Amino acid sequence: MMSNDLIGKSVLIVEDDPKIRNLVKIYLINEGYEVLEAKNGLEAKDKIEKYDPCILILDLMLPGISGEEICRWIRSDLKSVMPIIMLTAKASEKSRIEGFKLGADDYVVKPFSPGELMGRIEAVLRRTASRCGKISFNGLTIKPVKGEALVNGEQLDLTHFEFKLLHMFMQHPGQILSRPQILDFIYEKSEKNVTERTIDVHIKNLREKIKQQTPVDYIQTVRGMGYKFAAN
């Protein structure tokens, strides 16, 4: 099972074969990844610009815009260092070399083992950890380095403490956090004169802002215990 530092990483699968796309999606979801899909190059470009995924699983033989063109666009036009794994039937040494020259971080040939692909994804993400500081769950994404939080690509207008709260929750998906624990997580020692009631107010405001953009109830109250972030 994937370790906690990779949970919530967003993966975009660009594949025109729905059976392969669905197979990879099932494995990714089971491993705790946030999954985005595109069946052609045009959709891929739109998803990349809107969601800025942590890693791209890219078929090369796509309708319309080829995988090679997508890779070239990411590296040359966007100037992005997004990790890319090429997943393709092009098995020749020449194709592999060309793929790496275009900027691929790994190259997997079809037919492939889904288990091996998961291992390669994890290895690439660990190797390129500094490229993706984002955490994503069910359409909710936080980018701590940029100070951004988004719901389905739309930015949330959060206060400093609301942002810290959301970041803390998303780092501990499914874990019940008590109010004292939350205080320890988000307040400095000099700020410890705040009350647990303050936490409740911040969480109420955070929930309301999220619910303005989605009906999904991410932050749940656990009666008598505290709060938890529902990742699914």
Side-chain angles (χ1 to χ4, degrees):
M1 187 67 181
M2 181 172 54
S3 62
N4 286 337
D5 60 336
L6 295 179
I7 290 175
K9 297 301 181 186
S10 52
V11 182
L12 174 58
I13 310 166
V14 185
E15 169 64 60
D16 62 323
D17 186 325
K19 291 182 180 180
I20 294 177
R21 198 169 63 243
N22 192 55
L23 175 65
V24 176
K25 177 181 178 180
I26 290 170
Y27 272 80
L28 286 168
I29 290 174
N30 286 341
E31 289 295 319
Y33 291 100
E34 174 82 357
V35 180
L36 302 166
E37 299 176 70
K39 60 180 179 292
N40 57 53
L42 192 61
E43 280 189 12
K45 292 180 76 171
D46 179 65
K47 294 283 177 71
I48 289 166
E49 290 184 317
K50 187 174 182 180
Y51 295 105
D52 187 22
C54 286
I55 187 168
L56 182 65
I57 310 302
L58 181 64
D59 184 19
L60 297 184
M61 293 183 283
L62 296 167
I65 304 172
S66 72
E68 288 92 346
E69 290 177 87
I70 292 293
C71 192
R72 193 176 294 111
W73 171 73
I74 290 169
R75 295 293 187 244
S76 299
D77 294 355
L78 294 185
K79 308 296 183 186
S80 172
V81 292
M82 174 192 305
I84 299 171
I85 296 180
M86 291 181 172
L87 180 63
T88 177
K90 294 185 175 182
S92 70
E93 181 181 16
K94 181 181 178 182
S95 294
R96 289 173 181 268
I97 292 170
E98 288 177 351
F100 285 116
K101 282 184 177 179
L102 283 171
D105 293 272
D106 204 346
Y107 195 101
V108 178
V109 175
K110 300 174 183 177
F112 63 97
S113 159
E116 180 185 350
L117 177 61
M118 295 305 109
R120 286 174 178 261
I121 291 169
E122 184 168 340
V124 169
L125 281 173
R126 289 191 186 286
R127 196 166 67 238
T128 62
S130 62
R131 302 189 203 173
C132 181
K134 301 183 293 294
I135 308 173
S136 297
F137 290 105
N138 196 20
L140 179 62
T141 300
I142 191 165
K143 302 179 181 181
V145 175
K146 293 185 177 180
E148 294 178 354
L150 307 98
V151 176
N152 298 324
E154 298 296 323
Q155 190 158 330
L156 290 169
D157 183 17
L158 303 181
T159 66
H160 172 67
F161 286 115
E162 289 165 359
F163 187 88
K164 288 178 73 174
L165 267 174
L166 182 60
H167 189 201
M168 175 209 65
F169 278 123
M170 294 182 73
Q171 286 179 308
H172 301 84
Q175 180 180 335
I176 298 173
L177 300 173
S178 67
R179 289 172 177 82
Q181 282 179 311
I182 294 170
L183 283 171
D184 286 338
F185 274 124
I186 70 167
Y187 285 103
E188 303 294 336
K189 288 183 179 179
S190 60
E191 301 170 320
K192 289 296 179 64
N193 60 330
V194 298
T195 66
E196 293 181 10
R197 171 61 181 159
T198 305
I199 292 294
D200 294 335
V201 172
H202 283 317
I203 290 176
K204 177 177 178 289
N205 293 337
L206 175 59
R207 280 170 159 168
E208 288 177 352
K209 289 182 179 181
I210 293 173
K211 285 183 178 179
Q212 288 174 5
Q213 298 193 31
T214 177
V216 180
D217 186 16
Y218 294 101
I219 302 169
Q220 299 178 354
T221 302
V222 182
R223 191 176 297 277
M225 300 180 71
Y227 298 94
K228 74 173 182 177
F229 182 84
N232 297 314

